[in-house]
Amino acid sequence: MTNDEISTVLRNISNLIEIRDDEPFRARIYERAADSIDALAVDVRQLVEEGTLQSIPGIGKAIEGKIVEILETGRCRFYEDLIQEMGPEVLDLLSIRGVGVKTAGRFYHELGVKRLADLRIAIDNGQLKAMKRMGAKTIAAIDAE
């Protein structure tokens, strides 16, 4: 796995945690770790082999364990558990212009939206109009996607 692939997994974990509405600091920890991996000039595997991964800002013991797991197995069980719980398409909501993790989280919690098709149904049924802080301009922008 490349640094980019590892940082993508960590960033996705951050987004899923935030959509799920867990403790905000947990999401920031994964986001910071992803940023640190993105900024590395060397392959993260080298740092693991040298035992210096925790010297990177944002990489603690738990994140290091997940990175090692990814490098050894090509998978991250915690990430897979989040995807299993929330649905494999929930991150697709973030591909819509104007929809960030907070809005995706609102869709997820208030409307049960777990994929783009669910969002389309919510728009067609007028459920978005009934949401607080969801104005006509925002709905039109989402609908245009």
Side-chain angles (χ1 to χ4, degrees), residues 1 4 10 22 31-32 54 57 78 91 115 120 122 134:
M1 289 273 231
D4 189 49
L10 296 175
D22 279 357
E31 185 71 27
R32 182 171 182 218
Q54 286 188 44
F78 180 61
L91 290 171
R115 54 195 177 101
R120 166 57 42 210
M134 190 61 58

Side-chain angles (χ1 to χ4, degrees), residues 61-112:
K61 187 175 182 178
I63 301 284
E64 179 185 43
K66 287 174 180 61
I67 291 171
V68 169
E69 178 186 7
I70 292 167
L71 289 170
E72 290 177 352
T73 68
R75 303 171 46 191
C76 176
R77 183 179 177 139
F78 180 61
Y79 177 52
E80 291 174 353
D81 289 347
L82 286 170
I83 291 292
Q84 179 73 29
E85 172 191 332
M86 300 176 73
E89 299 175 33
V90 72
L91 290 171
D92 292 343
L93 297 172
L94 301 176
S95 68
I96 300 170
R97 189 177 69 223
V99 175
V101 290
K102 293 196 184 310
T103 302
R106 290 186 60 213
F107 293 158
Y108 179 79
H109 290 286
E110 294 176 30
L111 304 176

Side-chain angles (χ1 to χ4, degrees), residues 45-61:
R45 186 177 302 276
Q46 178 182 338
L47 299 176
V48 169
E49 290 169 357
E50 294 170 354
T52 59
L53 187 58
Q54 286 188 44
S55 68
I56 304 301
I59 309 290
K61 187 175 182 178

Side-chain angles (χ1 to χ4, degrees), residues 10-19 27-28 30-31:
L10 296 175
R11 202 169 312 283
N12 285 344
I13 289 172
S14 172
N15 289 334
L16 289 167
I17 288 172
E18 198 161 345
I19 290 170
R28 285 192 302 274
Y30 284 94
E31 185 71 27

